[in-house]
Amino acid sequence: MQNAQPTSSHFINGAYVEDAEGAPIECIYPATGKVIATLHEATPAIIDQALSAAHAGQKIWAAMTGTERGRILRRAADIIRDRNCELSILETLDTGKPLQETLVADATSGADALEYFGGLAATLTGEHIQLGQDWVYTIREPLGVCVGIGAWNYPTQIACWKGAPALACGNSMVFKPSETTPLCALKVAEILHEAGLPAGVYNVVQGRGAVGASLVTDPRVAKVSLTGSVPTGRKVYAAAAERMKHVTMELGGKSPLIVFEDADIDNAVSGAILGNFYSSGQVCSNGTRVFVQKDIKAAFLKRLKERLQGAVMGDPLDEATNFGPMVSADQMNIVLGYINKGTDEGATLVAGGKMAERDGFFIEPTVFADVTDDMTIAREEIFGPVMAVFDFDTEEEVMARANDTEFGLAAGVFTNDLTRAHRVVAGFEAGTCYINTYNLAPVEAPFGGSKASGVGRENSKEAINHYTEVKTVYVAMTPVEAQF
Ligand code: NAD
């Protein structure tokens, strides 16, 4: 049996901390359904301790130069890369995602963020604005204590994507992982401190929604960055707005992926597989509404069915496995409920559709065809391995249908017509668009959603604007001219 019990539940002020008074959180390995660690929710005393440490730590951290801060973040990136194997195994235990994925996508992407923002830390400056003899200069200042709240699909990556830009800008952070995947963020905190981070600058507290809610409303907190569902985003954004706090909201999606008849079908099928079945479909930006132009529908579905034979479901710790379980029994049941709705509402089940006959929370890669825009599986985020394929005739028609959703996280197009590709992405109502590929999210590129899918952007230089504010200083070179 696996055992992933961490030293203790929380990481505060540079050290592991426990408070057994907190309600237990059982961490379940999704491939077996067995408990692999038991942690405790943060009590009010733990929350207070974390926020006080972050408040004090931030002052010390912000007083350091950008070069010094950047060096520590880059050192942490190196440690993460050195321990990639161990961290990837932990990510697999926390989430159930296959080691084949976690070895290349999780700790490595966290290290990329620490390296990238570590590199930027020394370059953050204000500007000089000459106004005749007078002049203005601006100071780019950190916001203060930032709260990060994570979803369960990418626990290491989310802890780093929030922590790296926040810290590069001179903020401190209290990070609350999802209660479903509490393990990985503790390692991120431990490694940051091993790299030389002053105590209190990056803290991790465990807990369910109520712990998140009390962090959001605390007056010591200047900013909240959430990765989660739209309903949670609405609550957190509203609570933050009450006290006029800064927010970044990385929320859910129901993204369109359009395949035109001139596309390279194999490449488009690869995009659809990557955009629906990576991490067993538990990816926010997934292109779950696949619109295929009518003339190539049969060829597309035939090739897709052939390619699905390549899915290897099995022990996620076996590197030959490329398709893992749902993160939890709850998520498995939600996804199975959507699959039943798809069948009941008249979509054609082309592949999959059931639980796998094995331990753990496995669902077969599932494809529905003949999906219509009003069906539940066409409108709601499923967050599992369920692809919905729609037919379309014209570009104009498909653009209107692709944008007819409250979400706006991502969108993709497969076509070999250059001008059409750019026309289509210009028309997409989405934060992140892809031409002839899908779901890539390098740290150098902004990532985030429009409409209900979010506010603000993570990664790239854009993130700096969301973790700093600008102070304007007007300097007069002549006496004041008052009106009387
Ligand atoms: P969730 O919304 O249920 O929970 C997200 C986090 O919010 C958890 O840590 C949870 O404890 C916390 N939370 C819940 N209620 C809260 C409250 N009232 N105040 C403060 N915190 C609260 O989401 P989930 O089920 O963990 O994750 C899946 C969702 O996340 C999907 O909708 C997915 O699309 C989205 N997601 C988005 C991105 C992105 O970058 N856009 C990335 C990954 C996942």
Side-chain angles (χ1 to χ4, degrees):
M1 200 185 96
Q2 306 292 342
N3 181 359
Q5 188 66 40
T7 308
S8 48
S9 300
H10 319 288
F11 193 97
I12 298 172
N13 211 19
Y16 277 101
V17 178
E18 191 58 274
D19 181 351
E21 293 290 303
I25 295 177
E26 286 191 334
C27 182
I28 293 169
Y29 183 38
T32 59
K34 301 265 178 356
V35 176
I36 53 168
T38 303
L39 293 85
H40 293 277
E41 272 201 282
T43 54
I46 286 285
I47 294 170
D48 184 60
Q49 212 177 312
L51 288 169
S52 299
H55 194 250
Q58 194 267 329
K59 309 272 180 255
I60 297 163
W61 183 237
M64 291 166 64
T65 66
T67 307
E68 288 167 330
R69 289 200 300 267
R71 192 178 301 135
I72 290 170
L73 299 184
R74 283 183 290 108
R75 209 180 283 144
D78 290 345
I79 300 173
I80 287 182
R81 283 193 221 289
D82 285 348
R83 296 201 198 145
N84 183 40
C85 188
E86 168 205 330
L87 295 170
S88 301
I89 290 171
L90 189 67
E91 173 95 17
T92 290
L93 294 174
D94 218 1
T95 62
K97 292 186 294 181
L99 192 58
Q100 191 190 95
E101 280 186 23
T102 57
L103 280 170
V104 296
D106 293 282
T108 51
S109 134
D112 284 353
L114 289 161
E115 190 172 0
Y116 178 85
F117 287 106
L120 276 188
T123 72
L124 306 178
T125 56
E127 61 179 344
H128 166 100
I129 303 157
Q130 194 68 42
L131 299 165
Q133 283 188 312
D134 292 357
W135 45 284
V136 161
Y137 67 95
T138 62
I139 307 171
R140 187 165 286 281
E141 295 187 329
L143 301 173
V145 177
C146 300
V147 161
I149 301 178
W152 41 254
N153 56 346
Y154 281 79
T156 307
Q157 183 185 82
I158 295 172
C160 292
W161 279 19
K162 298 193 187 307
L167 269 46
C169 296
N171 302 286
S172 61
M173 177 158 277
V174 177
F175 185 79
K176 188 199 83 63
S178 163
E179 58 273 32
T180 311
T181 52
L183 303 176
C184 297
L186 291 169
K187 279 285 161 197
V188 172
E190 191 185 306
I191 287 170
L192 277 164
H193 287 83
E194 194 178 323
L197 193 74
V201 179
Y202 188 90
N203 310 276
V204 175
V205 298
Q206 307 293 347
R208 302 178 173 84
V211 171
S214 50
L215 290 169
V216 171
T217 46
D218 193 281
R220 283 167 286 190
V221 172
K223 179 195 168 112
V224 181
S225 176
L226 169 77
T227 297
S229 61
V230 173
T232 303
R234 289 205 170 95
K235 282 189 225 159
V236 173
Y237 198 177
E242 189 69 27
R243 289 176 183 266
M244 218 56 86
K245 293 177 200 280
H246 298 254
V247 296
T248 298
M249 294 282 144
E250 288 293 352
L251 308 177
K254 189 77 194 175
S255 301
L257 178 56
I258 303 177
V259 183
F260 284 97
E261 62 191 359
D262 65 341
D264 174 330
I265 291 194
D266 255 314
N267 201 37
V269 167
S270 295
I273 288 174
L274 191 64
N276 279 273
F277 300 127
Y278 200 71
S279 302
S280 299
Q282 302 165 112
V283 179
C284 53
S285 48
N286 270 356
T288 46
R289 292 185 295 139
V290 180
F291 293 92
V292 180
Q293 205 157 15
K294 267 193 188 136
D295 287 355
I296 57 160
K297 174 186 170 187
F300 180 90
L301 288 174
K302 177 170 178 287
R303 193 68 192 111
L304 178 61
K305 275 182 82 167
E306 288 164 5
R307 294 277 298 276
L308 287 176
Q309 302 306 312
V312 181
M313 220 185 272
D315 175 3
L317 291 167
D318 176 349
E319 278 186 61
T321 298
N322 61 22
F323 189 82
M326 297 288 92
V327 76
S328 63
D330 282 353
Q331 189 61 18
M332 179 181 71
N333 290 328
I334 289 170
V335 174
L336 290 172
Y338 277 112
I339 291 174
N340 288 339
K341 276 199 178 135
T343 313
D344 291 349
E345 292 178 14
T348 308
L349 186 65
V350 173
K354 351 181 256 310
M355 286 171 68
E357 286 171 13
R358 52 179 304 125
D359 287 346
F361 314 131
F362 289 86
I363 296 178
E364 297 170 343
T366 298
V367 177
F368 282 105
D370 308 314
V371 182
T372 55
D373 299 346
D374 53 342
M375 289 180 185
T376 309
I377 59 165
R379 306 221 63 84
E380 296 181 14
E381 185 184 44
I382 299 174
F383 223 57
V386 183
M387 184 194 301
V389 180
F390 306 68
D391 309 339
F392 75 92
D393 287 305
T394 67
E395 182 182 320
E396 192 186 5
E397 168 212 334
V398 77
M399 288 310 290
R401 292 170 61 196
N403 287 331
D404 180 20
T405 165
E406 65 163 332
F407 300 106
L409 189 54
V413 56
F414 279 81
T415 177
N416 280 327
D417 179 336
L418 191 66
T419 47
R420 172 157 62 194
H422 293 289
R423 191 168 59 234
V424 165
V425 292
F428 277 144
E429 296 169 3
T432 309
C433 295
Y434 298 97
I435 297 175
N436 292 334
T437 187
Y438 205 78
N439 257 358
L440 304 176
V443 68
E444 298 88 342
F447 181 82
S450 24
K451 295 159 76 176
S453 290
V455 175
R457 294 291 177 266
E458 294 198 298
N459 288 341
S460 79
K461 286 180 234 162
E462 284 292 323
I464 299 300
N465 297 325
H466 299 291
Y467 282 102
T468 52
E469 66 186 355
V470 166
K471 179 181 279 172
T472 301
V473 183
Y474 191 109
V475 184
M477 300 300 282
T478 52
V480 175
E481 282 179 32
Q483 68 277 41
F484 55 83

